Amino acid sequence: MSSSAQYLNPSEAARRLGVSAKALRLYEQRGLVAPVRTAAGWRAYGPEEMARAAEIAALRALGLSLAQTARVLGGDPQGLEPALAAHQASLEDRARQLAGAVEKVRGLRTDLAQGKTPAAADLARLAGPAGEISVAFDLPWPWGGERFELRDIRPINYIIGSLGSGKTRLAMRLAETLPDAAFLPLERTADSARLAADPALKARVDATLAWLAEDGATASDALVALLVALEAEGPAILVVDMVEQGLDEPTQEALIAHLRRRGPGARPLFLMTRSCAILDLAAVGPDEAIILCPANHAPPTRVAPYPGAPGYEAVATCLASPDVRARTEGLIAWRPPAA
């Protein structure tokens, strides 16, 4: 290892690349990048390894699976066309949103030049994304009817809480209150009849399954049932009960990577979860939000994904690895009767 070059440990390398340390480990496991080893045997990333990892992260951001990324890095462009087409569509969507915002500003400046003072609400809306979705309602039991408001709904919104925290009731109320929303319950099976009747839907599901498989996912009825709901033309917002249900760890990791690549203009999703493979706190991006249902039945609150933020430790203690979640699946809190 050259003493003149700067070498970074995995956590620092991941921070500079804007990915999680888990993602770096996955790149290494797939043979896409090979960190050097220090004299003590620790992984380290020098300039060459960082450049390679940056290329991988950029290709992943374009929507390529790990297998497609490997092919592109090897000189094979297979898979680039659909990825570039999807990225173009995302950019065009952002451009439309920006054009709408520019038009609003132009209108407010015109009003101001004519002596009309813009309303504070109109000015405040300029800070939010175009078409911002918000919701407000009185909280159901086990809360006491407190008012709950959620603004700036992101493409991915995690709902998390301990057993008995009320997260399922919150999710169901969100599905009832949000316009054109649907609730996907825990009991779900692959609808083969629906796929047979809708070739376009089947094609989308099959394409997504292929992408997930290349990222290490295992095909199953639970995964297909989830993808049918995610890929179907229908509700503008989907609320999913325990998204990790029936999925192993590699499948969960592949699924959340797929959902993240949809971009900022994607259909909003509310994902109930207690899996750290789905909600990796180190990987939460700007298009994601965390909603915590506290164990003491205080009103649900949005939690920032960094240590020291209010509620962060409570969120972290609710999460477990998929193998732990599988062992405790179906358990309920129980207290022995008083003597």
Side-chain angles (χ1 to χ4, degrees), residues 137 140-143 166-174 272:
F137 52 81
W141 184 91
W143 293 279
K167 59 184 181 295
T168 303
R169 292 181 181 271
L170 175 68
M172 295 178 72
R173 182 56 60 88
L174 282 166
M272 284 177 53

Side-chain angles (χ1 to χ4, degrees), residues 190-203 205-206 224 228:
D191 191 343
S192 55
R194 183 178 183 183
L195 289 174
D198 190 341
L201 173 60
K202 186 178 186 304
V205 170
D206 288 346
V224 173
V228 168

Side-chain angles (χ1 to χ4, degrees), residues 14-311:
R15 187 187 68 80
R16 295 199 183 185
L17 291 166
V19 301
S20 68
K22 183 184 296 184
L24 274 185
R25 290 196 299 273
L26 188 59
Y27 299 166
E28 181 184 357
Q29 290 168 5
R30 294 300 183 89
L32 298 177
V33 64
V36 298
R37 296 281 181 165
T38 66
W42 299 105
R43 291 176 175 82
Y45 291 80
E48 291 185 7
E49 293 76 26
M50 288 294 290
R52 175 77 168 189
E55 290 177 346
I56 298 167
L59 291 171
R60 293 284 286 159
L62 285 175
L64 272 67
S65 69
L66 288 174
Q68 290 170 328
T69 296
R71 289 197 292 267
V72 170
L73 291 173
D76 182 356
Q78 181 183 352
L80 270 180
E81 167 53 31
L84 290 175
H87 189 61
Q88 178 181 334
S90 177
L91 291 174
E92 290 172 346
D93 183 61
R94 293 186 191 183
R96 285 191 293 270
Q97 293 184 15
L98 285 173
V102 169
E103 190 59 35
K104 289 179 182 178
V105 173
R106 183 179 291 113
L108 291 174
R109 292 184 64 194
T110 299
D111 290 345
L112 196 60
Q114 296 174 353
K116 302 176 184 177
T117 302
D122 291 334
L123 293 172
R125 276 193 287 272
L126 293 177
E132 178 181 298
I133 305 171
S134 62
V135 66
F137 52 81
D138 294 335
L139 287 165
W141 184 91
W143 293 279
E146 301 95 331
R147 193 68 173 168
F148 174 74
E149 295 187 3
L150 186 64
R151 302 183 183 280
D152 182 20
I153 293 175
R154 310 288 173 82
I156 300 178
N157 306 271
Y158 305 98
I159 301 176
I160 186 165
S162 59
L163 289 172
S165 64
K167 59 184 181 295
T168 303
R169 292 181 181 271
L170 175 68
M172 295 178 72
R173 182 56 60 88
L174 282 166
E176 293 169 357
T177 308
L178 283 163
D180 195 17
F183 182 75
L184 186 63
L186 200 60
E187 299 77 21
R188 42 189 183 254
T189 56
D191 191 343
S192 55
R194 183 178 183 183
L195 289 174
D198 190 341
L201 173 60
K202 186 178 186 304
R204 292 195 299 273
V205 170
D206 288 346
T208 303
L209 269 175
W211 195 96
L212 294 175
E214 287 190 338
D215 261 15
T218 301
S220 64
D221 285 348
L223 179 58
V224 173
L226 185 59
L227 292 182
V228 168
L230 291 170
E231 298 292 342
E233 300 286 349
I237 299 173
L238 190 62
V239 184
V240 183
D241 189 355
M242 303 311 288
V243 65
E244 64 264 24
Q245 180 76 3
L247 309 181
D248 61 20
E249 183 167 4
T251 302
Q252 292 180 36
E253 292 176 346
L255 175 66
I256 196 63
H258 164 68
L259 295 179
R260 283 183 171 132
R261 76 186 181 100
R262 299 175 311 143
R267 170 175 66 164
L269 299 173
F270 286 85
L271 307 177
M272 284 177 53
T273 186
R274 292 189 64 198
S275 169
C276 61
I278 293 292
L279 175 48
D280 180 354
L281 290 171
V284 174
D287 295 328
E288 303 166 57
I290 303 169
I291 303 168
L292 171 67
C293 294
N296 65 356
H297 296 150
T301 184
R302 183 176 285 179
V303 176
Y306 54 83

